[in-house]
Amino acid sequence: MFELILMCPEDRIEPLSDALDALDALSVSVEDADAQTDAEQALFGEPGMPPPKDGWQRSRVVALFPTREAAAEAQQLLSVQDFFEGCQVLGLAEVAEQDWVRLTQSQFAPVDITPDFWIVPTWHELPAQAVRSIRLDPGLAFGTGTHPTTRMCLRWIARQGAGGEGAAAFGRVLDYGCGSGILAIGAAKFGAADIDAVDIDTAAVESTALNAQANGVQLRAGLPDKAQGQYQTVLANILATPLRVLAPLLCNHVAPGGHLVLAGILERQADELKEAYAPWVKLEVADTEDGWILMTAAR
């Protein structure tokens, strides 16, 4: 494989990406050329929604080609196009052969949720300070403990279960949009005993069941229709847009006196979530991390 690496201003990203696609690039990625510097720009968006911007003021575009000849031909063809004005070629390089399994594993180290509660991939030893842990490897479903939204939810679970009340601290639990099942498993690790974990993705349902078995906890995994009745604890780490749509459903699942815990929300989306849930509960920001927030309410 060979990479054609380009520098591109924001207003040229779309035509350049379209051209690379037409030239049979295997993939095209766009990243902030100023990442890890004081000039870095944070851009947040949601799947299915228009991006806030096409890219960054200085974007690094990397196109992958199967042969050096294909990459060189693309470079030559692009350089004479009108839309290439303001762009520049940074290089054409062969992609080094790598042990992709080992590389992937190196990107997932143990994650501390609290000083004594850790998420640990199976290829790592448990940290000595880990009183509680979830064994979890990256897979087809979202949730490995590395994303701020997941960490905030797990911190809330740890605080809720810190009193040592076990099942009574959580009551009946619903993890809606469970992904890998990490939140449901976390609740079980802190004593929750009656847990439903549901997702629209059958791969997520399967991952949740397998991960629960690997961690020695009991829960019921299934499609959303498996969620029945009311729960003392309702967890939903999704994204702001589906959370708005799901407001009536999720609130109706919260038992009187129960807790609603929502994540996948950017700081700038707090007011719209408060408004969407106002007919049922009063949402408040309970935690923040890296531009994301955790919102909770009691019914």
Side-chain angles (χ1 to χ4, degrees), residues 120 122 133-144 178-186 188-189 203-219 221:
V120 186
T122 56
S133 64
I134 298 176
R135 285 291 200 175
L136 198 68
D137 296 339
L140 295 177
F142 174 81
T144 60
C178 57
S180 67
I182 190 170
L183 303 186
I185 294 168
K189 291 284 185 173
V205 173
E206 182 178 357
S207 292
T208 294
L210 292 173
N211 288 332
Q213 183 179 18
N215 280 276
V217 301
Q218 299 293 319
L219 54 77

Side-chain angles (χ1 to χ4, degrees), residues 222-240:
L223 297 174
D225 59 4
K226 198 173 189 68
Q228 298 289 330
Q230 293 188 316
Y231 300 79
Q232 188 67 19
T233 303
V234 175
L235 307 161
N237 180 15
I238 314 175
L239 285 170

